[in-house]
């Protein structure tokens, strides 16, 4: 038999036996399996010599190679460096026994006879490192007797020979037989055996390996090597800047920030998924400081929250040498090819490679699209099958006989329990129970689940499905949403693990039955399949900034039609990795009235985390718009008011800035205003904004030049964040979850938006009554509202007053865990403009470089 010994922590021993006729590939496969078992801290091979090939020996992870046979461990011995590896236990036993010999080893002659492979090399260099002269000989060597007589130490392996004649050995020589049998001889020489001492050395190696493993599991200080940035003037295009910088291999970045190799799942050389096991490994590590980046009400061009986020972490890590992590949302391809373009930041504050960030990344949005549309397909298929089959026919197909055996699947057993049917044998159900089990009785007019696609397509806002003859007249009107508006995206952003995600997916309500009962994904039987589709998407993606600092990219819900924040999991992982003195900077979408309000009332409630400081991003451009400046349109040159100095427009527009500072104070969190400076801004305008911000209650107001200078341009902001984040705050939620749905909506409308009151449509009121009846009233509120105004009217800039907020409809994302009112005419499917961004995007067929992304 071929025998493996491997060791668990605590020196528990397990023996694995393989058949004599097994192939080398099978041996290697078993070794690789043990390599990946975190419980195994040492692997010892007890194999015939014919199986100890180079491939087999090097299959063992060096840190588990307690027998010291891998090339890397042998090489460490040759170099005299055994701090991170293991030498052969047999060689160690020889040294241990020689150390007990009376004479010192330095200057003595040793002969190694009949030794081969790693043992010969290891023992030779160990003895030389201890000052001995070493000769290696085979049994067939000439003048062997003379060389043995001249030696002080003889270490030999019999390998078919009968041993050394006593006449070859001079008095006082130390003889060590590495064969299994003890050599017999006369009293004028000493004979030692390696067996017991070698076993002790193996045990010592296992203990060392387990200690190393325990140390690796602890929090590791960062050894971040920032990338050098050399900003140019004028500033090149975003994609030119991105391509000019060579990113670090993602495995190197991961090692620098304390991730273990097994916690990383690489997607190429510049991005990788990070396993959630990290949370268990660092569960006792205190969190770092938590920084939220929000903004004033933006122009349609955006005001640079992502750029500020990236510039801030570049300043913290690359310039102040503080651990910091940025947590960003994955951009939707809708805006990327539509109006807004990419979301990787800009100028010298970017995530790189920006084309990978802005396009498919690691496929999370595609996974969400597949999962969402699987639910949609299941809904229409179930409606069709129930309408065209009898109870008995449905039952025989839903619970088929396989090899003569019928049984319920686990998800079907769960449905039976929800129905109060405590039976497990399909043949035991009564006709009434069968009918209750097979009939969801989904009302086609009350299906709330929509299909999704990650493209801006206005013609999918209202469609008809089921028009083919094969659907037997079961057509109905429905619509497509943008993929990031899917409830599954919201679940991804709010979940704290696989188990929680699966439970949330199962709770998703897809419509109502004809008698008014909610129908869930669990009822459809699709939950397990959804979890399978989402099992990789739940892992955050690790990338880096232009200056080589780490970024998590995960989830991407819009802030106007969803809760607009990156994932809870990304934030939690980052807070552990940065350490107690580090900083995690996460971004909330659109203005503080939208993304920040939802961050506090939804995300913080779910995660249990609270921010230490808010960074509120403002631009002179946006303030001029709020002060009465003309409309700003993407793709159209800015009017002169935004290019020339106009202090009056800036002063008037600061009303919006003051309001957003007040909104932040509602939650008891200190705020720093970060003025994202453009080249058209004058110093007088910059000074005015900073002065008004501080007078309005901001803890600090600083100008930021990260777009043109990188992290160095945000060092002042980094210092302000460090100072303010260390101060105690008094975080509080805006409303109590036990308040009624109407009161929670009214609190947001009046305290955040500044509305006089709310107005519920009859449809919205009916939905509230229904949700109250179903027990959903204690969920938080996620307002779906325009991001271009504090009100529901996009054209109303500054701080609108005297308006009534109309609530057109109310929907529920039960899996995600919130109620979302639709304010005004909000659409969940954007459309393409006359000239979309895709006009400028192209591919060089020779270099495969992407052009036109920004």
């Amino acid at each position: 038999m071929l025998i493996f010994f491997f060791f668990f922590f605590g020196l528990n021993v397990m023996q694995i036996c393989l058949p004599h006729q097994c192939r080398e590939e099978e041996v290697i496969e078993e070794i690789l399996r043990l390599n990946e078992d975190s419980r195994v801290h040492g692997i010892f091979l007890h194999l015939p010599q014919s199986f100890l090939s180079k491939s087999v020996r090097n299959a063992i992870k060096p840190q588990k190679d307690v027998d010291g046979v891998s090339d890397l461990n042998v090489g460490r011995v040759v170099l005299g460096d055994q701090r991170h590896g293991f030498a052969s236990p047999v060689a160690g036993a020889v040294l241990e026994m020689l150390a007990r010999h009376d004479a010192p080893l330095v200057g003595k002659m040793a002969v190694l006879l009949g030794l081969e492979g790693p043992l010969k090399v290891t023992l030779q260099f160990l003895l030389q490192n201890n000052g001995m002269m070493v000769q290696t000989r085979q049994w067939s060597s000439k003048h062997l007797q003379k060389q043995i007589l001249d030696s002080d130490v003889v270490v030999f392996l019999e390998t078919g020979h009968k041993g050394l004649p006593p006449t070859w050995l001079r008095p006082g020589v130390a003889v060590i037989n590495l064969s299994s049998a003890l050599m017999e001889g006369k009293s004028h020489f000493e004979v030692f055996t390696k067996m017991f001492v070698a076993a002790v050395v193996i045990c010592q190696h296992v203990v060392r390996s387990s200690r190393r493993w325990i140390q690796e599991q602890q929090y590791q200080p960062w050894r971040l090597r920032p990338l050098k940035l050399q900003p140019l003037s004028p500033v090149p295009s975003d994609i030119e800047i991105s391509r000019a910088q060579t990113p670090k291999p993602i495995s190197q970045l991961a090692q620098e920030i304390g991730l273990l190799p097994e916690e990383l799942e690489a997607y190429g050389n510049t991005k990788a998924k990070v396993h959630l096991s990290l949370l268990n490994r660092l569960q006792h590590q205190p969190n770092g400081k938590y920084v939220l980046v929000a903004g004033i009400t933006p122009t349609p061009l955006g005001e640079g929250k992502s750029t500020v986020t990236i510039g801030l972490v570049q300043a913290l890590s690359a310039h102040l040498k503080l651990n910091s992590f940025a947590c960003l949302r994955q951009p939707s391809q809708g805006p990327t090819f539509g109006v807004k373009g990419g979301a990787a930041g800009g100028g010298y504050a970017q995530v790189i490679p920006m084309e990978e960030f802005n396009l498919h990344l690691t496929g999370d949005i595609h996974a969400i699209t597949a999962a969402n549309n699987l639910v949609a397909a299941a809904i229409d298929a179930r409606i069709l099958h129930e309408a065209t089959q009898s109870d008995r026919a449905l039952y025989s197909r839903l619970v088929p006989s396989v090899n003569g055996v019928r049984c319920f699947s686990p998800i079907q057993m769960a449905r039976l329990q929800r129905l109060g049917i405590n039976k497990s044998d399909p043949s035991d159900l009564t006709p009434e129970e069968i009918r209750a089990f097979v009939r969801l009785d989904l009302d086609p007019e009350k299906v709330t689940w929509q299909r999704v696609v990650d493209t801006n397509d206005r013609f999918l806002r209202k469609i008809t499905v089921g028009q083919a003859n094969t659907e037997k007249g079961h057509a109905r009107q429905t619509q497509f949403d943008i993929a990031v508006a899917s409830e599954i995206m919201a679940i991804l952003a709010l979940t704290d693990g696989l188990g929680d995600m699966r439970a949330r997916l199962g709770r998703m309500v897809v419509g109502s039955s004809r008698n008014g009962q909610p129908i869930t994904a669990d009822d459809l039987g699709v939950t397990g399949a959804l979890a399978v589709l989402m099992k990789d998407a739940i892992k955050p993606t690790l990338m880096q900034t232009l200056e080589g600092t780490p970024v998590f990219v995960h989830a991407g819900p819009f802030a106007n039609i969803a809760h607009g924040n990156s994932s809870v999991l990304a934030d939690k992982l980052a807070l552990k990795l940065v350490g107690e003195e580090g900083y995690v900077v996460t971004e909330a979408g659109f203005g503080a009235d939208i993304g920040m309000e939802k961050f506090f009332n939804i995300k913080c409630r779910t995660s249990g985390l609270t921010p230490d400081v808010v960074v509120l991003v403002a631009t002179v451009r946006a303030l001029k718009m709020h002060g009465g400046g003309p409309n700003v349109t993407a793709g159209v040159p800015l009017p002169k008011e935004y290019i020339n100095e106009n202090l009056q427009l800036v002063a008037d527009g600061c009303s919006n800035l003051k309001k957003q500072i007040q909104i932040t104070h509602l939650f008891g969190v200190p705020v720093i205003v970060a003025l994202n400076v453009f080249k058209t801004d004058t110093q007088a305008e910059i000074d005015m904004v900073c002065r008004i911000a501080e007078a309005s209650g901001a803890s600090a107001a600083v100008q930021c030049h990260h777009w043109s200078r990188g992290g160095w341009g945000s060092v002042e902001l980094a210092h302000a964040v460090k100072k303010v984040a260390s101060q105690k705050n008094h975080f509080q939620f805006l409303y109590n979850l036990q308040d009624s749905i109407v009161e929670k909506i009214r609190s947001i409308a009046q305290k955040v938006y500044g509305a006089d009151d709310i107005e519920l449509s009859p449809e919205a009121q009916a939905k509230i009554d229904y949700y109250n009846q179903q027990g959903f009233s204690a969920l938080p509120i996620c307002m779906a509202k325009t991001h271009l105004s504090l009100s529901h009217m996009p054209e109303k800039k500054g701080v609108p007053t005297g308006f009534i907020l109309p609530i057109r409809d109310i929907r529920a994302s039960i899996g995600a865990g919130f109620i979302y009112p639709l304010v005004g005419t909000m659409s969940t499917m954007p459309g393409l403009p006359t000239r979309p961004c895709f006009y400028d995007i192209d591919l060089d067929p020779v270099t495969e470089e992407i052009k036109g992304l920004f």
Side-chain angles (χ1 to χ4, degrees):
M1 302 290 286
L2 303 181
I3 303 175
F4 289 74
F5 292 99
F6 67 92
F7 301 83
F8 290 100
F9 181 66
L11 297 187
N12 295 319
V13 180
M14 182 177 288
Q15 179 174 293
I16 298 178
C17 299
L18 298 176
H20 285 288
Q21 63 271 24
C22 73
R23 294 175 290 111
E24 181 180 276
E25 291 78 10
E26 295 175 75
V27 178
I28 292 175
E29 183 179 344
E30 190 66 33
I31 292 173
L32 294 177
R33 184 183 68 81
L34 298 175
N35 282 343
E36 299 308 314
D37 190 334
S38 62
R39 301 168 299 170
V40 177
H41 300 105
I43 302 173
F44 176 78
L45 304 181
H46 189 68
L47 298 170
Q49 193 66 33
S50 60
F51 271 92
L52 286 173
S53 66
K54 186 182 182 78
S55 298
V56 169
R57 290 186 285 104
N58 288 321
I60 308 174
K61 276 188 176 180
Q63 60 267 38
K64 295 188 178 185
D65 174 26
V66 294
D67 201 23
V69 295
S70 67
D71 287 351
L72 181 58
N73 277 331
V74 173
R76 284 168 171 159
V77 173
V78 171
L79 294 173
D81 179 13
Q82 298 176 58
R83 293 171 299 171
H84 304 294
F86 299 107
S88 162
V90 173
V94 169
L95 276 182
E96 176 71 22
M97 290 184 288
L98 289 176
R100 299 175 185 174
H101 204 259
D102 294 336
L105 300 180
V106 177
K108 298 296 177 66
M109 171 64 70
V111 172
L112 308 183
L113 178 59
L115 274 62
E116 296 287 351
L119 176 59
K120 180 182 78 171
V121 176
T122 300
L123 188 53
Q124 176 183 348
F125 280 91
L126 283 178
L127 293 174
Q128 288 176 349
N129 292 340
N130 279 271
M132 296 189 72
M133 296 175 289
V134 180
Q135 293 180 334
T136 60
R137 293 290 181 265
Q138 296 302 318
W139 288 97
S140 58
S141 299
K142 293 181 179 180
H143 313 299
L144 183 61
Q145 180 178 356
K146 181 178 184 308
Q147 291 162 348
I148 297 295
L149 281 169
D150 291 341
S151 64
D152 303 293
V153 174
V154 179
V155 182
F156 72 95
L157 192 64
E158 290 181 345
T159 60
H161 294 267
K162 295 183 178 179
L164 292 171
T167 56
W168 288 23
L169 302 171
R170 62 182 177 83
V173 66
V175 180
I176 301 176
N177 181 3
L178 300 183
S179 306
S180 56
L182 291 178
M183 173 184 164
E184 297 180 3
K186 296 184 178 180
S187 59
H188 69 275
F189 62 89
E190 299 176 21
V191 179
F192 297 90
T193 181
K194 52 100 179 178
M195 298 303 292
F196 175 75
V197 179
V200 171
V201 174
I202 291 175
C203 293
Q204 291 172 343
H205 286 183
V206 175
V207 171
R208 280 177 57 204
S209 175
S210 62
R211 283 176 177 166
R212 286 177 189 165
W213 181 84
I214 292 171
Q215 290 170 354
E216 287 175 353
Q217 303 306 302
Q218 307 305 309
Y219 175 79
Q220 301 296 318
W222 284 21
R223 300 180 299 279
L224 189 70
R225 181 183 63 82
L227 298 177
K228 188 175 182 180
L229 202 59
Q230 295 179 315
L232 301 177
S233 182
V235 176
S237 70
D238 290 351
I239 200 162
E240 288 174 324
I241 293 171
S242 175
R243 291 222 177 100
Q245 184 68 289
T246 302
K248 290 181 279 192
I250 201 66
S251 57
Q252 177 186 328
L253 175 63
Q255 184 180 35
E256 290 175 354
I257 63 174
L259 284 166
L260 303 180
E262 58 266 27
E263 293 168 340
L264 208 66
E265 187 177 320
Y267 282 65
N269 199 41
T270 56
K271 56 186 183 292
K273 289 284 193 184
V274 174
H275 288 259
L276 304 186
S277 59
L278 173 68
L279 285 175
N280 290 328
R281 178 168 71 84
L282 298 182
Q283 60 183 307
H284 300 301
Q285 170 66 25
N287 288 341
K289 300 294 184 183
Y290 199 24
V291 182
L292 174 67
V293 175
I296 65 169
T297 304
T299 69
L301 307 178
E303 306 318 307
K305 290 189 306 300
S306 298
T307 311
V308 169
T309 300
I310 297 162
L312 175 55
V313 295
Q314 288 181 175
L316 286 165
S317 289
H319 298 277
L320 300 191
K321 308 303 179 185
L322 299 169
N323 295 353
S324 73
F325 232 111
C327 292
L328 300 176
R329 290 174 292 163
Q330 179 183 353
S332 164
Q333 289 180 184
T336 299
F337 292 101
V339 175
K340 190 179 177 186
Y348 287 101
Q350 291 188 56
V351 178
I352 57 172
M354 64 92 76
E355 56 265 57
E356 293 188 22
F357 176 90
N358 282 315
L359 296 176
H360 306 284
L361 198 63
T362 49
D364 294 355
I365 292 180
H366 299 312
I368 289 165
T369 301
N372 184 99
N373 293 342
L374 179 61
V375 177
I379 291 168
D380 286 314
R382 188 60 176 262
I383 291 173
L384 171 67
H385 294 315
E386 287 189 23
T388 56
Q389 297 180 52
S390 66
D391 294 350
R392 182 58 61 182
L394 273 172
Y395 192 52
S396 65
R397 288 179 171 87
L398 286 171
V399 192
S401 175
V402 179
N403 296 325
V405 178
R406 293 183 74 188
C407 63
F408 295 114
S409 68
I411 200 165
Q412 289 176 326
M413 287 297 300
R415 172 162 169 76
L416 288 171
Q417 291 170 7
R418 288 194 301 276
L419 292 171
I421 302 172
N422 297 314
K423 296 177 181 179
S424 58
D425 188 340
S427 62
D428 290 345
L429 268 64
T430 67
E432 293 76 17
E433 290 170 337
I434 289 174
R435 181 172 181 79
F437 173 74
V438 301
R439 297 285 172 188
L440 300 181
D441 201 25
L442 255 169
D443 186 342
E445 299 298 319
K446 294 181 180 178
V447 171
T448 57
W449 194 265
Q450 317 296 353
R451 289 168 171 83
V452 299
V453 64
D454 197 31
T455 303
N456 290 1
D457 191 346
R458 64 179 69 248
F459 282 86
L460 294 178
R461 290 171 178 169
K462 189 173 185 179
I463 61 170
T464 302
V465 295
Q467 295 190 51
N469 292 335
T470 51
E471 275 53 73
K472 304 175 183 179
H474 291 279
R476 68 180 183 90
Q477 283 194 344
T478 182
Q479 69 183 59
F480 270 78
D481 293 338
I482 189 80
V484 292
S486 170
E487 182 175 355
I488 297 176
M489 174 62 87
I491 287 172
L492 178 67
L494 291 170
T495 190
D496 65 2
L498 275 170
D500 176 66
M501 182 179 72
R502 191 190 184 286
R504 287 174 178 267
L505 291 170
R507 292 198 298 268
M508 295 186 305
V509 173
V510 302
S512 300
S513 66
R514 286 183 171 84
N515 64 3
Q517 292 302 308
I519 304 300
T520 67
D522 270 346
D523 292 322
L524 286 169
V526 74
T527 307
L530 300 181
V532 168
L533 287 171
M534 293 295 294
K535 73 178 181 65
D536 292 319
I538 197 173
K539 305 166 193 170
T541 299
L542 178 67
M543 295 188 75
Q544 64 192 285
T545 68
L546 278 167
E547 298 192 54
T549 66
V551 178
F552 272 140
V553 186
H554 200 214
F558 280 176
N560 53 351
I561 55 179
H563 73 284
N565 287 270
S566 63
S567 77
V568 166
L569 281 170
D571 289 359
K572 285 187 170 183
L573 289 170
L575 284 164
K576 295 297 183 186
L577 281 169
V578 297
E580 194 169 6
E581 301 301 319
Y583 297 82
V584 170
V585 184
T586 191
E587 176 200 354
F590 296 128
D593 58 304
I594 300 282
M596 187 189 72
E597 180 270 316
K598 295 170 182 176
F599 174 88
F600 288 139
N601 284 320
I602 298 175
K603 185 175 180 181
C604 288
R605 272 194 166 98
T606 300
S607 68
L609 302 171
T610 57
D612 296 284
V613 62
V614 169
V615 173
L616 188 67
V617 178
T619 62
V620 169
R621 177 180 69 188
L623 293 173
K624 287 180 175 179
M625 180 190 70
H626 288 297
N631 289 335
V632 175
T633 304
V636 177
L638 287 172
K640 60 180 177 58
E641 288 85 352
Y642 297 102
I643 299 172
N644 301 326
E645 183 177 284
N646 192 321
L647 294 177
Q648 189 59 53
L649 281 181
V650 173
D652 292 344
C654 279
S655 61
N656 187 271
L657 175 61
K658 294 177 186 177
K659 175 63 176 175
Q660 303 286 10
I661 293 172
Q662 291 170 7
I663 294 170
T664 308
H665 287 161
L666 288 173
F667 297 92
V669 181
V671 58
I672 297 169
V673 171
L675 185 62
N676 188 17
V677 176
F678 286 67
K679 61 183 179 181
T680 54
D681 301 344
T682 68
Q683 193 60 48
E685 291 171 333
I686 293 170
D687 292 342
M688 173 180 282
V689 174
C690 292
R691 186 170 61 252
I692 292 174
E694 291 181 348
S696 302
S699 299
V702 296
Q703 52 184 295
C704 301
H705 299 270
H706 43 267
W707 183 81
S708 58
R709 304 176 192 171
W712 184 249
S714 284
V715 166
E716 186 181 355
L717 175 61
H719 281 297
V721 165
K722 180 181 178 184
K723 178 181 178 181
V724 177
S726 65
Q727 301 168 4
K728 186 174 178 60
N729 67 47
H730 304 282
F731 176 77
Q732 60 184 6
F733 295 115
L734 185 68
Y735 53 77
N736 192 306
L737 287 180
Q738 301 311 312
D739 295 342
S740 69
I741 293 175
V742 171
E743 283 307 310
K744 285 182 282 196
I745 296 172
R746 183 174 285 118
S747 291
I748 297 170
Q750 293 179 334
K751 295 178 183 178
V752 177
Y753 306 154
D756 287 347
D757 204 350
I758 62 173
E759 181 180 55
L760 298 172
S761 70
E763 184 177 3
Q765 185 60 61
K767 290 283 187 67
I768 289 174
D769 294 340
Y770 175 73
Y771 296 145
N772 287 334
Q773 175 190 349
Q774 295 300 326
F776 302 151
S777 62
L779 294 174
I781 302 299
C782 181
M783 302 288 276
K785 182 188 79 71
T786 179
H787 60 288
L788 296 174
S789 172
L790 284 163
S791 72
H792 60 288
M793 300 166 283
E795 71 280 4
K796 297 294 184 183
K797 306 302 181 183
V799 183
T801 58
F803 65 93
I804 304 295
L805 193 73
I807 308 300
R808 174 172 58 87
D809 192 8
I810 296 182
R811 298 175 186 171
S813 292
I814 304 305
F818 53 70
I819 302 287
Y820 66 102
L822 299 178
V823 179
T825 57
M826 277 301 301
S827 172
T828 51
M829 170 55 82
L832 289 173
T834 304
R835 193 186 190 284
C837 294
F838 61 63
Y839 275 91
D840 303 309
I841 298 173
D842 203 351
L843 180 71
D844 187 318
V846 176
T847 65
E848 298 186 8
E849 283 191 346
I850 297 168
K851 304 175 182 177
L853 276 179
F854 65 94

